[in-house]
Amino acid sequence: MEQGNIKPNLHIYNIVADALCEDGNLYAAINLLNEIKQKGILPDIVTYSSLNDDLCKLGWWEKVKTLFFEMVNLNIYLNVHTFTILIDGLCKERNVEHAKEVMRHMIEKGVEPDVIIYNAIIDGYCLRGQLERARRIFDFMIDKCIEPSIISYSILINGYCLFEVGRTDDAKRIYVEMLSAGPKPDICTHATLLDGYFKCGFVEEAILLFNKLEIKREDTNTVRIDLRAHTLDLWRG
């Protein structure tokens, strides 16, 4: 196409760049981005999103940062999806402060964070063992009238159970809040809380919780078998 009369447009280049990213050939994708700019074709949000997604997965944060500021300087409108890729990737690397900077920029641009963004920040603080900060973000989200999801509650419960052994009382409080005001806990939430009880030696409490679990009729047999197997593994471990 480049050698013929019909020149490829940005849409074509985006398809090729996305395919290169899918194949893990990021160097070629970055070179293609530079080639596009040299030809005077301005990349758009689709171009950068494909690259940023894979760069975040590989932890190439300096390049992610460079591309982020390129987008800002080109006045490219960053949508929630783009910000989510950046923030989630940074938080998974425990780089919460940079993630919060991106979120502040997001708000300045008039894009309001959603529950997925807040979940990423909460998880980032939990991964760093900063449970009090994680809880403050959780409460701030509620103050902003954003309803926590089952993932929001589960992240905090997981943090208290796994990253600060001995704080199962805090995990239990979150669990009680979830029962009274939040979505119904799923098997992963229950398993995480049971794990925390066993690690702290609260065997009787774990058995009591296990016996009180409310399970839908149609899933009763399968879920009970799965949960019992998981509980026995924790007990033996």
Side-chain angles (χ1 to χ4, degrees):
M1 287 181 72
E2 288 179 334
Q3 293 172 0
N5 295 325
I6 302 174
K7 301 298 181 183
N9 57 20
L10 180 59
H11 177 66
I12 297 295
Y13 282 117
N14 283 344
I15 292 173
V16 177
D18 186 58
L20 290 169
C21 290
E22 288 291 327
D23 287 341
N25 198 346
L26 287 180
Y27 287 109
I30 291 169
N31 288 337
L32 182 62
L33 173 65
N34 293 331
E35 183 183 327
I36 292 170
K37 290 186 288 187
Q38 288 171 5
K39 291 181 178 180
I41 301 173
L42 290 178
D44 62 6
I45 190 66
V46 177
T47 320
Y48 284 103
S49 291
S50 297
L51 277 167
N52 277 325
D53 192 16
D54 287 276
L55 288 170
C56 285
K57 289 174 184 175
L58 291 175
W60 293 11
W61 300 115
E62 285 305 314
K63 191 61 183 176
V64 170
K65 188 176 178 181
T66 301
L67 292 183
F68 175 74
F69 285 111
E70 273 187 27
M71 286 188 282
V72 172
N73 292 333
L74 290 171
N75 291 318
I76 293 174
Y77 174 77
L78 280 71
N79 54 29
V80 174
H81 176 68
T82 312
F83 281 115
T84 300
I85 291 171
L86 294 169
I87 292 171
D88 186 57
L90 287 166
C91 287
K92 278 184 170 59
E93 290 292 315
R94 297 172 172 79
N95 198 343
V96 188
E97 299 310 316
H98 281 166
K100 287 182 73 176
E101 283 181 23
V102 174
M103 189 168 76
R104 279 193 290 269
H105 181 83
M106 174 182 185
I107 295 169
E108 288 172 2
K109 291 293 183 180
V111 183
E112 285 299 317
D114 57 12
V115 66
I116 299 173
I117 297 287
Y118 282 109
N119 285 347
I121 300 289
I122 294 167
D123 190 41
Y125 277 128
C126 285
L127 289 171
R128 288 172 57 169
Q130 296 175 299
L131 276 301
E132 301 307 322
R133 287 192 175 188
R135 178 66 207 230
R136 284 201 294 270
I137 296 295
F138 180 87
D139 292 336
F140 178 78
M141 176 175 66
I142 295 174
D143 291 340
K144 295 282 287 183
C145 298
I146 298 174
E147 186 176 347
S149 65
I150 189 170
I151 296 173
S152 312
Y153 287 99
S154 297
I155 288 170
L156 275 180
I157 290 171
N158 185 66
Y160 284 124
C161 287
L162 300 184
F163 296 99
E164 289 199 18
V165 175
R167 296 195 63 175
T168 50
D169 284 344
D170 294 295
K172 187 177 180 180
R173 274 193 286 272
I174 298 294
Y175 177 73
V176 171
E177 287 179 28
M178 191 176 184
L179 291 175
S180 61
K184 186 176 180 180
D186 62 7
I187 186 172
C188 294
T189 311
H190 287 130
T192 300
L193 193 52
L194 284 169
D195 191 18
Y197 281 142
F198 278 117
K199 283 182 177 177
C200 294
F202 301 149
V203 177
E204 290 184 6
E205 189 111 21
I207 293 173
L208 184 64
L209 171 63
F210 180 80
N211 291 332
K212 285 183 176 180
L213 294 181
E214 295 179 2
I215 302 173
K216 293 181 180 179
R217 280 185 189 174
E218 60 269 25
D219 297 329
T220 297
N221 292 333
T222 303
V223 176
R224 281 192 186 280
I225 290 169
D226 290 346
L227 189 56
R228 188 174 294 279
H230 185 79
T231 307
L232 288 172
D233 287 341
L234 293 173
W235 183 293
R236 290 163 184 158

